[in-house]
Amino acid sequence: MSTVAKAGSVSHGKALAEYAEKKKIDDKEVSTEIGRNGVWGIDAAEVIKEMAEHRRQSGHDLKRGYLRLEICPSKDQQEQMRDPQKRSSMLQWFLKQMGFDVTQWIAWLHERTDHDEDLSHIHVLANRVDQNGNVIKDGMIGLKAKSVAEKWDREHNQKTAAELSADRRQWLKDEARTVLAELDSYDWDEFKQLCEEHGIILAENISEKSGKRQGYYIQAKDSNRRYKISDIDRKLTDAHIVETHKKLRAEYEQQHKQQQSRGWHWRP
């Protein structure tokens, strides 16, 4: 898993801040404020008022006056999230890279997500008008956050999301080919069942008009990301899989014969 960062400009600053401040999971509070800049309110509602007042005094009437930033480190970096100094250093680094360090902001730590109790992450709400009265540009800000997260991973010897995705696609391709080669003859149901035993899920793409299968998707059991089989290996599509099976099966049988042969000559 790689570090994930998401960003955007929003109009509903109060709702976003109160969500970040009061987040509960299974009736347990999971949010803690971990930093702020240029705001002094005792709660999220007061902080939002301060930001709105700053924009008003600066002469800016923006439809989307707030910036949000979410930072979710990879699981192998979660240890530093439990270290206040390291966590603060990471937060400050992201804020500077995003250009949010020059504006009012407040940040909260969420101890876990709705679906993973071991995945702590950070929510930041920032004023889109900085402390010098300049409007922070929000064009392509989501892509910028993604790029910043990848830069963080590179600087900390972590694989980027793109690298991890490439690794996963290659694994799916190699594993599916291995499974296919093990079949005496190609049969979709047997292929699908054996793939599942190897940790792969195949899902038919059923046409709404004909009700027939038109290709299929492939994904790892431990992932929610699924791919069209043509994006993984065009040789495994319905148009080519029978031919591919014949080739892989022949190679499989040849290797098996060679292994048996080497085993025979090895015996004393």
Side-chain angles (χ1 to χ4, degrees):
M1 179 180 176
S2 60
T3 301
V4 175
K6 300 178 181 179
S9 58
V10 297
S11 59
H12 50 283
K14 182 178 179 181
L16 192 63
E18 291 184 343
Y19 163 82
E21 179 184 56
K22 301 176 181 179
K23 176 67 174 178
K24 288 185 178 182
I25 298 177
D26 297 330
D27 294 325
K28 178 185 176 182
E29 293 183 358
V30 298
S31 179
T32 304
E33 185 183 323
I34 57 172
R36 58 169 62 192
N37 178 60
V39 288
W40 294 269
I42 62 172
D43 58 19
E46 289 191 5
V47 166
I48 290 299
K49 288 180 180 178
E50 290 179 55
M51 291 184 180
E53 177 61 19
H54 175 69
R55 286 198 304 277
R56 188 188 67 78
Q57 292 182 1
S58 300
H60 295 292
D61 182 18
L62 303 174
K63 183 177 180 179
R64 297 187 303 274
Y66 303 93
L67 298 166
R68 65 173 180 85
L69 173 63
E70 299 162 22
I71 309 165
C72 186
S74 58
K75 282 200 170 183
D76 50 6
Q77 295 188 61
Q78 285 292 313
E79 186 63 35
Q80 75 175 7
M81 290 290 281
R82 290 182 279 274
D83 183 316
Q85 188 172 357
K86 292 181 179 179
R87 184 177 62 224
S88 177
S89 177
M90 179 184 197
L91 172 59
Q92 295 295 336
W93 186 91
F94 268 86
L95 290 169
K96 185 173 183 179
Q97 294 293 318
M98 292 297 298
F100 292 3
D101 58 324
V102 294
T103 192
Q104 295 169 311
W105 60 264
I106 184 169
W108 296 269
L109 171 71
H110 284 187
E111 298 172 5
R112 55 164 296 183
T113 69
D114 290 319
H115 306 293
D116 194 329
E117 61 183 14
D118 297 321
L119 208 57
S120 58
H121 55 288
I122 296 171
H123 286 263
V124 179
L125 182 72
N127 200 341
R128 197 172 156 210
V129 175
D130 69 22
Q131 291 174 309
N132 294 318
N134 300 312
V135 177
I136 298 175
K137 296 180 180 180
D138 62 349
M140 309 294 283
I141 196 171
L143 289 177
K144 183 177 181 180
K146 179 181 178 182
S147 177
V148 167
E150 291 180 348
K151 181 179 180 181
W152 170 269
D153 283 340
R154 286 194 299 271
E155 292 186 2
H156 293 79
N157 298 317
Q158 304 293 317
K159 285 193 173 183
T160 66
E163 291 170 336
L164 288 172
S165 179
D167 288 348
R168 178 54 58 92
R169 292 197 302 270
Q170 187 62 49
W171 178 83
L172 286 169
K173 176 179 178 177
D174 293 343
E175 201 68 17
R177 280 176 166 259
T178 297
V179 169
L180 190 61
E182 292 177 3
L183 297 176
D184 291 329
S185 59
Y186 172 69
D187 177 84
W188 166 256
D189 291 330
E190 289 185 17
F191 179 48
K192 183 178 180 180
Q193 181 178 347
L194 192 54
C195 274
E196 188 167 354
E197 293 175 8
H198 281 247
I200 294 174
I201 298 173
L202 303 183
E204 294 94 335
N205 180 22
I206 304 299
S207 169
E208 294 183 0
K209 291 183 178 180
S210 66
K212 297 181 180 179
R213 179 165 68 86
Q214 294 184 336
Y216 61 98
Y217 299 95
I218 185 171
Q219 72 182 79
K221 272 188 175 181
D222 62 353
S223 172
N224 293 324
R225 177 71 166 91
R226 72 176 186 175
Y227 305 87
K228 289 182 178 179
I229 192 61
S230 58
D231 293 335
I232 297 299
D233 187 349
R234 297 191 66 83
K235 295 295 185 181
L236 295 179
T237 60
D238 289 335
H240 302 286
I241 195 168
V242 173
E243 180 183 349
T244 301
H245 169 261
K246 290 179 180 179
K247 180 179 179 181
L248 293 176
R249 184 63 187 180
E251 294 174 353
Y252 175 86
E253 291 178 348
Q254 182 64 28
Q255 291 173 0
H256 188 62
K257 288 179 181 179
Q258 290 175 351
Q259 290 171 354
Q260 285 184 322
S261 176
R262 285 196 295 270
W264 171 261
H265 290 302
W266 178 82
R267 292 190 183 97

